[in-house]
Amino acid sequence: MQPELISRITTLSHQMTERRERFLADLIRIRSYTGQEGPAVERTLAELRAIGCDEVWTDSAGNALGRIGHGPRIILYDAHLDTNEVADERAWPHPPLEPVVEGDAMFGLGASDCKGGVAAIVYGAAVIREIIRNGAMAGGSHPPLRLDDFSVVVMGATLEEDAEGFALRSLVERDGLRPEVVLLAEATDLTLRRGQRGRCEVRVRVEGRAAHASQPHLGENAILKMLPVIAALEAMNAGLPVDPIFGRGNQVVTMIEGPHTPNSVPAWCEVTLDRRLVPGETPEGVLAGIRAVVEPLGATAAIPDQPVLTHTGLRLDGPAFYPGWLLAEEHPLLAAGQDTCRALWGRPAAMDVWRFSTDGTYSAGAAGIPTLGFGPQEEQYVHAANDQVSLTKLRTAAAWYALFPFVYATLTPLPPSPCQGEGELSRFPQR
Ligand SMILES: [Zn+2]
């Protein structure tokens, strides 16, 4: 990469510090629980206009979107605007919705998950905007910095905390945006993440027969019938698929329900199973394995629908199945990520996979769109009362997002092949 480009990016990222941090502080002030992202989306749209995006819009799921450039090859930057809910405000060092800067860190709800990421990608785009504008004005004194074939689309995403991937699915399948690659600005502490385990929810149910509790022999107790089923589900752990990168999948019974009638023999009992998946597992495969174990014990198993309502009033309910994914080590997207790190810092970044689930479950796991994670936030502060992001790392990440498209454009004159998606676009039609 041209040293001149690197130094312009670094300088611009420094110059935009005040605007970038004011934007992050504003986002922290806005409460944006899942499904209630409207005001945070509006604030993000205003910032996308202010940095000079060529187009600013919202899609049907109410994601905030801004585009720089007019090329057909779309690089999508995704960071979500919704936050986890505060459990106990008294445990927080500062009020959650009050952005407080102490030393190098800005504290506040969502700073690390994922509003720091939103500020990083929006201000990465802001730097790109300036470079393209000034590059055009400089007119031929150096090889042109052009992204003619490309558009960079910045997405302030919704719904991630409760239903990761659903809002991105809607953008791709309902509204027709087809990114060539997706970058996720979730917490990576300036390192790269190239995959995640998946997860799914399974409901396992047994039927009994109700009777008055004073004469239990007249009924069939569904809770007692469930006992061996729970034991069998737990015993399955030893035989779940193993992946060389992610280790073994696991499953745990997390909830149990029955009729709320203390003086009756329960007529039904249902448990919820949280299953963690390795890449390659499918809904059919997961269900077949569980049914083989529980059906002989008289139980049924199903993957329930996750209820999802966007802040725009659209229902996006769909199966609670979130596939895992892994970007191949030799994929050009990963090479571009590493080259961006080398160009900025003179060395490659550490590379790992995420423990938690992200919008990549759709982009890479379901749709096979090559996906890579990079963000300034640190995992230790995610969903924690000392939620914070380093402002120096935020500036560094913005510079990374500014440089990335130029590196990617150089490395991939032609679009690379899709990654190994574990499902297909059509596996879960939207309703
Ligand atoms: Zn997140």
Side-chain angles (χ1 to χ4, degrees), residues 80 113 160-161 186:
H80 61 91
D113 187 19
E160 198 277 344
E161 289 291 342
E186 292 267 15

Side-chain angles (χ1 to χ4, degrees), residues 95-181:
L97 298 183
E98 214 168 88
V100 173
V101 176
E102 268 182 17
D104 181 48
M106 186 180 289
F107 287 74
L109 175 61
S112 68
D113 187 19
C114 200
K115 292 177 172 179
V118 176
I121 59 176
V122 169
Y123 272 85
V127 170
I128 296 169
R129 168 81 288 160
E130 289 306 306
I131 285 176
I132 294 178
R133 192 177 279 151
N134 297 334
M137 283 178 352
S141 63
H142 51 73
L145 295 168
R146 297 159 75 109
L147 292 172
D148 291 355
D149 291 344
F150 288 90
S151 298
V152 174
V153 174
V154 174
M155 175 188 194
T158 57
L159 302 171
E160 198 277 344
E161 289 291 342
D162 285 6
E164 65 272 22
F166 279 53
L168 182 52
R169 174 189 295 276
S170 176
L171 173 64
V172 173
E173 297 183 15
R174 184 178 296 261
D175 291 62
L177 190 96
R178 303 281 172 184
E180 178 174 311
V181 290

Side-chain angles (χ1 to χ4, degrees), residues 2-13:
Q2 307 160 27
E4 190 192 343
L5 172 62
I6 311 293
S7 84
R8 282 165 75 193
I9 285 177
T10 309
T11 304
L12 283 164
S13 298

